[in-house]
Amino acid sequence: MGAAMAKQSAQLQMPEDQELPEEEAGRDAEIVEIADGADWNVVERAFLTRRSIRKFKKKQVPEHLVHRMLEVGRFAPSQGNCQPYKFVVIREPELLAGMEEYCVSECRRLSGAIDYTAYPEGSLKRIATKSAARLFNSLDPNMMHPIPLTATRAIAAGRFMVFHRAPTVIVILMDNHGIGVPAIDIGIVGTNIIMAAHSYGLGTCWIGFSKLLNRSPQWRERLGVTERFEVSEAICLGYPVGKPAESEIERATHEIAWFENGEKKILG
Amino acid sequence: MLKRLLFADFPVLDDPQACRFYPVEIDLERCDGCKLCTMVCPAATLELAGEKGAKKVRLIADGYGCISCNNCYAICKQQAIKARRHYKMTGFYNTEGLGKFSPPRKSFKAEPFCEA
Ligand SMILES: Cc1cc2nc3c(=O)[nH]c(=O)nc-3n(C[C@H](O)[C@H](O)[C@H](O)COP(=O)(O)O)c2cc1C
Ligand code: SF4
Ligand code: SF4
């Protein structure tokens, strides 16, 4: 044990400039010790109690709160600080209804072309739609995962909605000329906005289906999506029905490979 | 892409062996029929059934498509409903690196990972 520790400290020799000189200690950040098993702090608790909200009250979200959460978004990290996004805030019921209608019609079209579950095994229609589905799967396997497909089918059948009748929708436009992988920056800025909203007691839901709007030149024009931009995601926003954000829930654990003391452990 | 087109195994959507959605556990003793879970379920797999005044939640007949999000658990005041494991697909969409369900752990006891 002792020998292992000595070896380790030799490896982890601090370079000189990693520590401030003693007389400057007052300028240095204090190290806050957090005990193993300590209660969740406010930030952690906020993350653990955020849920996607798909049922909203009619009451509109005050305008200043929308601005406030977008301000929090503005300070999100992004690759090379390139901030490859613009926002479209939609609170016009007719516009929201139109977007919903368009996305639903696209889901119907897609379902019509590839939903082989609508036809019995062995039928010609099943074979035709299943071949189409296979082609789509190969072209874009992530979008064609069974979960979004099931949701597409539910939307087509009127059992699920795209924008969940939220009173406010924030569409995030992604600049395809950004640095590295702009979609990651979209995820981060959206998380900033969503967590700010959650802290005001508002409910949010990411809407990946909003991407369907890119297929329509009319909708691109109406929302001001210029050539180099695309609708990347949308965030539904409103006051939640019920109290969906009180309890922590269960989720799957993830595999963690841990390298330390010359050992590798696989933890869960 | 061509390789995927020819060789990839995409699970058949209406084959419960290929797309395994696990039903949520429901405790009928605890459920008071408040309906909230049916309103928030993103997979629309829940409904109320039973005598007027004594309705309880149940899975719809085609109770398929649960995404194990635990939205139902989060909103249920009675702790009557819970997803206990992640959905699982075969072939191309088979998951790797997902373990058993657990609530948030404040203290981490080094447990070896075991695939659910
Ligand atoms: C990028 C992204 C896109 C999503 N798109 C949709 C969507 O189109 N419709 C929807 O109802 N939920 C959508 N969701 C929400 C997920 O289904 C949800 O986050 C997941 O089930 C986990 O549940 P939770 O957010 O309540 O923890 C999306 C989530 C993300 C991160
Ligand atoms: S939220 Fe809970 S109590 Fe209410 S109907 Fe669902 S399971 Fe029953
Ligand atoms: S875990 Fe999510 S998808 Fe499954 S029944 Fe509950 S709310 Fe619906």
Side-chain angles (χ1 to χ4, degrees):
Chain A
M1 182 70 191
M5 295 273 278
K7 190 172 152 225
Q8 201 203 352
S9 62
Q11 279 168 354
L12 292 179
Q13 275 287 337
M14 296 278 174
E16 300 245 309
D17 62 357
Q18 201 148 341
E19 301 278 352
L20 284 182
E22 211 146 297
E23 62 273 20
E24 302 278 17
R27 301 184 174 215
D28 208 356
E30 238 176 86
I31 293 179
V32 182
E33 301 288 350
I34 294 164
D36 185 16
D39 244 342
W40 300 118
N41 63 37
V42 212
V43 177
E44 292 169 319
R45 201 182 303 278
F47 275 95
L48 292 171
T49 55
R50 180 213 53 82
R51 300 269 71 79
S52 286
I53 303 307
R54 301 181 181 86
K55 196 89 185 168
F56 299 98
K57 295 200 168 87
K58 284 207 184 78
K59 181 182 160 59
Q60 184 55 287
V61 178
E63 194 182 327
H64 69 274
L65 288 184
V66 181
H67 282 297
R68 198 173 163 114
M69 66 185 80
L70 288 171
E71 279 303 287
V72 175
R74 209 153 63 75
F75 295 89
S78 63
Q79 289 153 89
N81 196 22
C82 73
Q83 307 167 39
Y85 26 72
K86 299 202 276 195
F87 303 94
V88 185
V89 176
I90 305 160
R91 292 150 69 86
E92 203 81 73
E94 299 76 44
L95 211 52
L96 289 169
M99 282 159 53
E100 178 78 21
E101 196 182 318
Y102 174 75
C103 293
V104 170
S105 71
E106 281 301 293
C107 286
R108 285 209 193 102
R109 246 160 50 109
L110 189 67
S111 264
I114 62 168
D115 182 14
Y116 53 86
T117 66
Y119 309 108
E121 198 75 63
S123 66
L124 263 181
K125 279 204 152 163
R126 175 138 179 144
I127 294 167
T129 43
K130 205 168 162 193
S131 314
R134 185 162 185 92
L135 180 64
F136 276 61
N137 266 121
S138 314
L139 287 169
D140 199 349
N142 306 96
M143 285 297 177
M144 294 293 290
H145 185 284
I147 302 274
L149 277 194
T150 308
T152 308
R153 196 167 47 168
I155 292 167
R159 281 188 289 115
F160 192 56
M161 273 176 294
V162 178
F163 297 100
H164 310 301
R165 289 206 195 95
T168 295
V169 171
I170 302 174
V171 178
I172 310 180
L173 306 185
M174 174 171 78
D175 187 346
N176 279 312
H177 298 199
I179 300 176
V181 187
I184 293 183
D185 296 340
I186 301 295
I188 300 171
V189 75
T191 298
N192 273 29
I193 293 169
I194 279 174
M195 293 314 297
H198 180 42
S199 76
Y200 320 144
L202 288 163
T204 56
C205 188
W206 283 97
I207 305 300
F209 277 105
S210 59
K211 284 184 206 60
L212 291 168
L213 293 165
N214 288 313
R215 296 167 173 233
S216 154
Q218 289 82 4
W219 276 107
R220 285 184 66 106
E221 166 145 25
R222 265 183 109 174
L223 300 179
V225 189
T226 46
E227 172 107 42
R228 59 192 271 171
F229 280 85
E230 67 178 80
V231 173
S232 178
E233 290 288 337
I235 297 172
C236 278
L237 184 66
Y239 288 94
V241 170
K243 294 179 182 174
E246 288 199 323
S247 43
E248 295 163 357
I249 60 161
E250 293 195 4
R251 284 275 167 86
T253 54
H254 296 252
E255 181 181 317
I256 305 163
W258 192 292
F259 291 86
E260 197 167 340
N261 291 332
E263 258 189 280
K264 176 189 180 185
K265 290 186 214 149
I266 305 288
L267 306 174
Chain B
M1 146 66 200
L2 189 66
K3 204 170 129 210
R4 273 203 304 260
L5 182 62
L6 296 177
F7 303 112
D9 167 20
F10 297 113
V12 177
L13 285 174
D14 48 1
D15 174 0
Q17 294 307 316
C19 295
R20 263 170 286 163
F21 294 104
Y22 297 103
V24 281
E25 267 176 33
I26 294 170
D27 184 342
L28 288 176
E29 300 268 294
R30 283 171 164 263
C31 173
D32 65 8
C34 75
K35 203 168 183 248
L36 279 169
C37 60
T38 67
M39 291 163 70
V40 300
C41 172
T45 58
L46 304 171
E47 66 182 3
L48 283 197
E51 295 286 304
K52 207 167 180 236
K55 289 198 174 181
K56 305 266 181 186
V57 72
R58 73 170 181 200
L59 285 176
I60 59 167
D62 167 28
Y64 202 58
C66 168
I67 62 171
S68 317
C69 67
N70 263 325
N71 244 348
C72 50
Y73 175 85
I75 206 160
C76 177
K77 283 185 296 297
Q78 304 293 334
Q79 304 200 327
I81 187 163
K82 194 171 196 171
R84 288 204 181 268
R85 57 183 306 184
H86 204 67
Y87 56 82
K88 194 127 178 114
M89 314 279 153
T90 59
F92 189 90
Y93 300 113
N94 185 18
T95 47
E96 204 184 299
L98 288 188
K100 292 196 174 61
F101 266 36
S102 157
R105 295 166 288 181
K106 281 182 205 139
S107 181
F108 189 81
K109 285 173 218 66
E111 293 169 35
F113 175 74
C114 114
E115 196 106 14

